[in-house]
Amino acid sequence: NWNAIEDENDLLILQRLTSNFWLPEARPVSNDLQSWSKLTEEEKLTTQQVFGGLSLLDSMQSAGAQEISQHALTPHEGAVMRQISHLEDIHAKSYSSIFSTLNSTEEINRIFRWVVEEEHLQKKAQIVQSYYDNGDPLKMRVASTMLESFLFYSGFYWPFYLSAHGKLTNTADIIRLIVRDEC
């Protein structure tokens, strides 16, 4: 019974999450092609690696939110976690949309090879995944919160830095939407 609400916060959060819905295709990343062409090779590589890492973490977060939803205390909390999972998939899709607009297939493949091979990034992912695999719902929630906070937000610095300097401004608009979803 969706009218029997055990926790009003669940309903408020679900309403906010569903009202925030967006798709990356509606954002004109192609308007950043000229800006992209003017970036240094180092700036391009940094952008690719930052978004590659964020893509990995969003994919993990989606699966983690699904796992957390299995331990929801109320049906509404389960719906919130499934909506969060869906949004995390949209975020990962956003990075792929950015990649496919700004990079060649060869470059995209190189980015994702780097994600798989980068020792420190994989270590972060393994630590978070170990808590999702642990089965303890509280530890899963803490891992999810840590992932959402310092691991994601440190990755958002770079696109905002570029945008503040008039570079990749439409790409930064997508990141702003992602940040809005995270809050």
Side-chain angles (χ1 to χ4, degrees):
N1 180 357
W2 277 83
N3 295 319
I5 300 167
E6 298 174 46
D7 185 341
E8 289 290 327
N9 288 322
D10 290 336
L11 183 60
L12 292 172
I13 293 168
L14 185 59
Q15 288 170 338
R16 180 167 178 228
L17 291 171
T18 55
S19 70
N20 281 355
F21 185 77
W22 58 277
L23 291 172
E25 295 82 3
R27 303 304 181 272
V29 175
S30 59
N31 290 349
D32 284 341
L33 283 168
Q34 184 176 9
S35 174
W36 177 256
S37 70
K38 294 178 182 176
L39 293 181
T40 67
E41 289 305 311
E42 186 176 276
E43 289 172 323
K44 288 179 182 179
L45 179 61
T46 300
T47 303
Q48 292 166 337
Q49 290 177 341
V50 165
F51 288 157
L54 289 170
S55 182
L56 168 68
L57 296 176
D58 268 320
S59 298
M60 289 183 61
Q61 192 67 334
S62 175
Q66 281 290 333
E67 184 62 33
I68 293 169
S69 76
Q70 302 301 311
H71 303 281
L73 301 177
T74 69
H76 295 88
E77 181 187 7
V80 165
M81 295 311 300
R82 287 186 297 277
Q83 182 64 25
I84 288 172
S85 175
H86 177 69
L87 288 171
E88 298 299 346
D89 285 335
I90 296 298
H91 300 167
K93 185 177 192 277
S94 297
Y95 301 120
S96 289
S97 176
I98 293 166
F99 287 146
S100 64
T101 303
L102 303 177
N103 301 112
S104 68
T105 300
E106 181 181 307
E107 290 170 319
I108 295 167
N109 291 336
R110 181 180 44 76
I111 294 163
F112 284 110
R113 265 193 318 277
W114 176 84
V115 167
V116 170
E117 295 170 358
E118 211 296 312
E119 177 184 344
H120 299 290
L121 183 58
Q122 287 299 318
K123 181 64 175 171
K124 290 176 192 177
Q126 289 168 358
I127 291 169
V128 172
Q129 190 62 49
S130 72
Y131 289 102
Y132 288 152
D133 294 342
N134 171 290
D136 182 328
L138 180 59
K139 288 181 179 179
M140 288 179 206
R141 286 175 171 86
V142 170
S144 177
T145 301
M146 298 306 283
L147 178 56
E148 286 292 340
S149 58
F150 73 90
L151 289 178
F152 275 120
Y153 282 91
S154 62
F156 295 150
Y157 170 81
W158 180 248
F160 289 146
Y161 172 84
L162 290 176
S163 178
H165 290 88
K167 302 172 183 178
L168 302 183
T169 55
N170 289 352
T171 300
D173 287 342
I174 289 178
I175 303 306
R176 283 183 192 88
L177 290 170
I178 292 171
V179 169
R180 181 189 70 183
D181 290 345
E182 306 295 357
C183 296

